[in-house]
Amino acid sequence: MKLSRLSLSTVSALVTAAMLMLSFSIIFFGVMWVQGLYEQQYLSQISDNARLAYEMLDRGELPKEADFLALVQQLTPLYEDAEAQLYLLVLKFGLGAALICSLIGYWLARKFSSPLEKLTRVVNNLREGDFSVRVPGTVKGTSEVAMLIERFNALAEELENMERRLRFNTMAVAHELRTPLTIVQGILQGMADKIFPRDDDRIQDLLMQVEGLTRLVNDLRTLSLAASQKLVTERCNTDIAQAAEQVLQASRSLLAEAGMVLETNLKRAIIPADSQRLRQAMLAVLENACRYASSGGYLRCESGYLNKEEAFLRIIDRGPGFDQEFSGHTIDVFWRGEPSRARATGGSGLGLSIVRAIVTAHGGRVEQASLAEGGASVTMIFPRKLAENKPDGAAA
């Protein structure tokens, strides 16, 4: 039986029982063995007729009275000495058993603590900033130790991924801020040096760059709230179809500017949601479609119940679709299949990250795919079980 399949309490109980049995066996068999030697020694010290009486008694026979009296007279002083020797034997073998069990216990303790020592060294490396460290999977121990090592490795992997994303996102934020700030600084410096006139066109350019920076800051704040699990604080029963109609109505000018023909198939689907955040996610998907799929000139929006447990909102376009790298890619902050396209269209790379953050905060998930006939679909899937315990309510 492998130790990794047993709990620490079970292993401790088994080891304790084994040590007790080993101690008892050492004392019992040791005393019996030495007692046999003493018996032979004592028999060699008595007379022949007394020895004969002892052997007859040992076989269950009745010796002669004279031989029995001789045996009693000669064994009485030897018995007193044997009793003292017996106590001494028990003490000696008891100490020997304690020493042997201590050595075995020390070896077992080292064996049990070895994985924890390795884990401690790895934790120290992790604390020093080396997130690539892992405890080898070959390290053995009890079930608790094995689970602890497994959880630690998972935590270290997550920390490594977080550190990698943080480094990438920090560089991305700096990259996103650098261009508009450079433009603003250049225009202001030109106006201060009287190279550029202080007219409405220059001011409009400045306002445009400031609006872009404001959107970026707001998007980063949304992701920060999502990371701290404070993105969705108030929920009410919300009809996805009604919320989608509101977003589509408010986005008609955006769709018209992108040349998108709208088609809808919105079916009533009640979910417990923060209606404002829900509309924010829908608008982010629409803006992403208008920005990258306007060449298809088509947009379809669907909603309804996916099954007894989930509801969905799906947006389909006929654009170029997601490239192959994106299809298997987890939507991440600032990630773009093609780094140049968002720069050309004014995107920050945060759109689908915002969508995922909002949907995840509602306990749902986002599925994105390229369609075989061309185009792409983004499906937001939400749980609906909380809505069944509450009366229907209108979207806020």
Side-chain angles (χ1 to χ4, degrees):
M1 183 180 294
K2 294 182 178 179
L3 289 178
S4 58
R5 297 178 181 176
L6 300 176
S7 65
L8 183 59
S9 58
T10 302
V11 172
S12 300
L14 291 175
V15 170
T16 302
M19 292 297 101
L20 289 174
M21 293 181 63
L22 178 62
S23 300
F24 176 80
S25 300
I26 291 174
I27 296 173
F28 177 78
F29 290 107
V31 170
M32 293 296 293
W33 174 65
V34 176
Q35 187 179 8
L37 296 179
Y38 282 169
E39 182 180 2
Q40 297 298 325
Q41 180 181 354
Y42 293 149
L43 289 176
S44 64
Q45 298 177 12
I46 60 178
S47 61
D48 294 339
N49 59 339
R51 187 182 309 110
L52 178 62
Y54 180 86
E55 292 174 352
M56 292 181 67
L57 288 172
D58 190 49
R59 294 195 300 267
E61 300 175 0
L62 185 64
K64 296 179 180 180
E65 181 179 356
D67 294 342
F68 179 75
L69 291 175
L71 176 64
V72 172
Q73 291 174 357
Q74 296 179 34
L75 280 183
T76 299
L78 295 177
Y79 175 78
E80 294 176 355
D81 181 61
E83 187 177 14
Q85 291 290 339
L86 179 63
Y87 292 147
L88 185 60
L89 281 176
V90 172
L91 178 62
K92 289 180 178 179
F93 279 102
L95 292 176
L99 177 61
I100 293 174
C101 290
S102 297
L103 294 175
I104 295 175
Y106 176 77
W107 177 78
L108 289 174
R110 292 290 300 171
K111 184 176 181 63
F112 292 155
S113 63
S114 177
L116 298 178
E117 292 176 356
K118 293 179 180 179
L119 180 60
T120 301
R121 290 194 294 269
V122 173
V123 168
N124 288 333
N125 293 336
L126 184 68
R127 201 177 94 182
E128 293 173 359
D130 184 6
F131 298 108
S132 63
V133 294
R134 300 289 186 275
V135 180
T138 56
V139 174
K140 298 181 180 179
T142 62
S143 59
E144 291 91 346
V145 173
M147 183 178 297
L148 178 62
I149 291 175
E150 180 182 354
R151 297 289 174 83
F152 172 82
N153 286 338
L155 175 62
E157 183 177 358
E158 182 63 24
L159 288 174
E160 185 179 17
N161 292 334
M162 289 176 62
E163 193 270 341
R164 188 185 302 114
R165 288 196 298 266
L166 178 62
R167 190 186 316 117
F168 172 78
N169 293 342
T170 301
M171 295 174 59
V173 169
H175 180 71
E176 295 294 333
L177 292 176
R178 181 174 56 192
T179 299
L181 287 176
T182 300
I183 294 174
V184 170
Q185 182 181 11
I187 294 176
L188 290 175
Q189 187 65 46
M191 294 172 64
D193 295 340
K194 299 185 179 185
I195 298 175
F196 299 144
R198 300 184 183 182
D199 54 22
D200 293 342
D201 292 339
R202 302 298 177 189
I203 294 176
Q204 190 64 36
D205 290 341
L206 290 174
L207 287 175
M208 185 182 304
Q209 297 301 326
V210 171
E211 288 174 358
L213 289 172
T214 302
R215 286 196 300 270
L216 178 59
V217 171
N218 288 335
D219 288 346
L220 291 172
R221 180 177 180 274
T222 299
L223 293 175
S224 177
L225 290 173
S228 60
Q229 298 183 352
K230 297 179 181 179
L231 184 60
V232 175
T233 57
E234 297 182 3
R235 299 192 189 195
C236 64
N237 283 354
T238 303
D239 184 359
I240 295 179
Q242 183 179 350
E245 287 176 355
Q246 294 174 352
V247 173
L248 292 173
Q249 183 65 31
S251 304
R252 289 197 177 276
S253 60
L254 177 66
L255 294 171
E257 183 179 350
M260 307 284 276
V261 176
L262 179 62
E263 181 180 313
T264 61
N265 182 22
L266 300 173
K267 296 180 181 178
R268 188 171 183 267
I270 304 297
I271 62 170
D274 184 328
S275 56
Q276 181 180 355
R277 293 299 185 187
L278 183 61
R279 290 193 293 267
Q280 181 183 1
M282 295 177 184
L283 182 59
V285 178
L286 283 177
E287 289 179 344
N288 193 75
C290 291
R291 183 175 295 122
Y292 302 131
S294 59
S295 59
Y298 172 84
L299 192 73
R300 178 180 175 84
C301 187
E302 304 172 346
S303 68
Y305 289 123
L306 191 63
N307 49 52
K308 293 182 179 181
E309 303 294 333
E310 297 173 320
F312 75 94
L313 174 71
R314 180 179 295 112
I315 296 178
I316 303 172
D317 63 60
R318 290 180 181 168
F322 299 118
D323 54 30
Q324 186 176 2
E325 182 184 1
F326 182 80
S327 298
H329 198 282
T330 300
I331 302 172
D332 207 348
V333 180
F334 292 107
W335 190 90
R336 303 188 185 101
E338 181 188 348
S340 62
R341 70 178 185 179
R343 177 68 57 216
T345 55
S348 67
L350 293 175
L352 291 181
S353 297
I354 296 294
V355 175
R356 185 187 66 170
I358 293 174
V359 175
T360 301
H362 283 85
R365 64 187 188 277
V366 178
E367 296 179 354
Q368 70 279 351
S370 295
L371 305 179
E373 63 274 16
S377 70
V378 176
T379 305
M380 294 175 279
I381 301 174
F382 302 91
R384 52 175 289 202
K385 60 180 180 179
L386 294 179
E388 297 173 355
N389 300 326
K390 300 180 181 179
D392 289 352

